[in-house]
């Protein structure tokens, strides 16, 4: 009887261990740092628009940049600064969600490499460029192995086309958030190739600040529907931009 109970205990522990491993969610966020000199944007104050300075950049270190907003969030903890072998990535941060087994990797790309940022994001949405990071006895998979991929920054596709391997690699479901101006129009031809699900993207001009990203991610973690997640994004955008909820709903949409 004791042997049976011991065996049962081992089986239960292994089962819970496997469940814990399977329940890990990963998110990979690609941020093209705002860059007055190297991007086709309406110039912002020079301190915010230096694409080689993550610390003060509008999309990273400023109040509503990805790094600062997630560090200040009551829902996330910055657990690790990760060294990247890619010299185009100026800072790489790993966050953990406090109430779920969800990890978010955020990459700050040098703003002059916005084209490469776009390619890397799109290839990841096809399932490519997978890599792993070790943290607290876990091996976390990002790149094309992430469940959710996000792009934050200027929509460079308004000025250039990109070449890359965008054909869908496998049938694993991947969701995508693209916070950039008119991203539905410009990213659609590429996502039709990668087969990623456009969870939230935009129909017009917008400020790609991190409160919209965080609100959409909140819904994704809770397995809400695409329309519920888009509504979260719209509510957050209206709250901070005071643009009117109807306008925010027209701007932030899901699906094709």
């Amino acid at each position: 009887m004791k042997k049976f109970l011991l065996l049962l205990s081992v089986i239960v522990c292994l089962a819970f261990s496997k469940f814990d491993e399977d329940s890990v969610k990963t998110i990979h966020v690609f941020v093209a740092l705002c860059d007055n000199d190297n991007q086709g944007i309406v110039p912002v104050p020079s301190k915010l628009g230096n694409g080689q300075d993550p610390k003060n950049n509008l999309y990273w270190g400023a109040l509503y940049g990805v790094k600062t907003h997630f560090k200040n969030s009551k829902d996330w903890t910055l657990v690790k600064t990760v060294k990247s072998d890619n010299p185009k990535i100026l800072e790489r941060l790993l966050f953990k969600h406090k109430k779920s087994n969800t990890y978010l990797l955020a990459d700050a790309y040098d703003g002059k490499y916005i084209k490469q940022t776009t390619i890397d994001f799109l290839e990841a949405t096809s399932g490519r460029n997978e890599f792993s990071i070790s943290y607290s006895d876990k091996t976390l998979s990002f790149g094309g192995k992430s469940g959710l991929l996000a792009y934050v920054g200027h929509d460079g596709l308004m000025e250039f086309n990109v070449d890359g391997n965008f054909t869908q690699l496998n049938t694993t479901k991947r969701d995508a958030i693209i916070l950039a101006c008119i991203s539905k129009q410009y990213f659609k031809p590429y996502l039709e190739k990668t087969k990623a699900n456009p969870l939230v993207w935009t129909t017009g001009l917008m400020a790609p600040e991190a409160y919209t990203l965080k609100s959409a991610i909140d819904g994704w973690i809770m397995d809400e529907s695409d329309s519920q997640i888009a509504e979260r994004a719209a509510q957050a955008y209206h709250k901070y931009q005071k643009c009117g909820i109807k306008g925010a709903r027209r701007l932030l949409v899901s699906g094709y």
Side-chain angles (χ1 to χ4, degrees), residues 90-107:
L90 302 183
E91 191 167 19
R92 169 172 279 176
L93 302 176
L94 181 66
F95 293 88
K96 184 185 184 303
H97 192 253
K98 292 181 180 178
K99 295 181 180 178
S100 73
N101 211 6
T102 304
Y103 292 84
L104 183 153
L105 187 70
D107 283 339

Side-chain angles (χ1 to χ4, degrees), residues 8-26:
L8 182 62
S9 175
V10 170
I11 291 172
V12 169
C13 287
L14 288 173
F16 273 101
S17 174
K18 182 65 166 62
F19 174 79
D20 181 65
E21 178 183 331
D22 290 344
S23 66
V24 172
K25 290 184 173 184
T26 57

Side-chain angles (χ1 to χ4, degrees), residues 108-151:
Y109 277 75
D110 185 327
K112 67 183 175 183
Y113 297 114
I114 184 173
K115 188 171 186 177
Q116 190 60 53
T117 315
T118 306
I119 292 170
D120 289 353
F121 164 73
L122 288 170
E123 288 192 335
T125 67
S126 76
R128 289 178 165 77
N129 304 335
E130 169 194 343
F131 64 94
S132 298
I133 289 174
S134 297
Y135 172 72
S136 184
D137 77 0
K138 289 181 172 64
T139 299
L140 306 170
S141 296
F142 294 98
K145 204 71 180 289
S146 307
L148 173 61
L149 298 126
Y151 174 86

Side-chain angles (χ1 to χ4, degrees), residues 53-107:
D53 177 22
K55 182 179 179 181
N56 297 296
N57 196 267
L58 181 63
Y59 300 148
W60 190 257
L63 181 60
Y64 297 127
V66 169
K67 176 181 180 178
T68 302
H69 193 68
F70 278 84
K71 275 186 70 175
N72 290 342
S73 169
K74 61 180 176 55
D75 299 318
W76 292 88
T77 300
L78 175 60
V79 296
K80 189 176 182 180
T81 298
V82 183
K83 180 176 174 56
S84 172
D85 295 330
N86 184 347
K88 296 178 177 66
I89 297 173
L90 302 183
E91 191 167 19
R92 169 172 279 176
L93 302 176
L94 181 66
F95 293 88
K96 184 185 184 303
H97 192 253
K98 292 181 180 178
K99 295 181 180 178
S100 73
N101 211 6
T102 304
Y103 292 84
L104 183 153
L105 187 70
D107 283 339

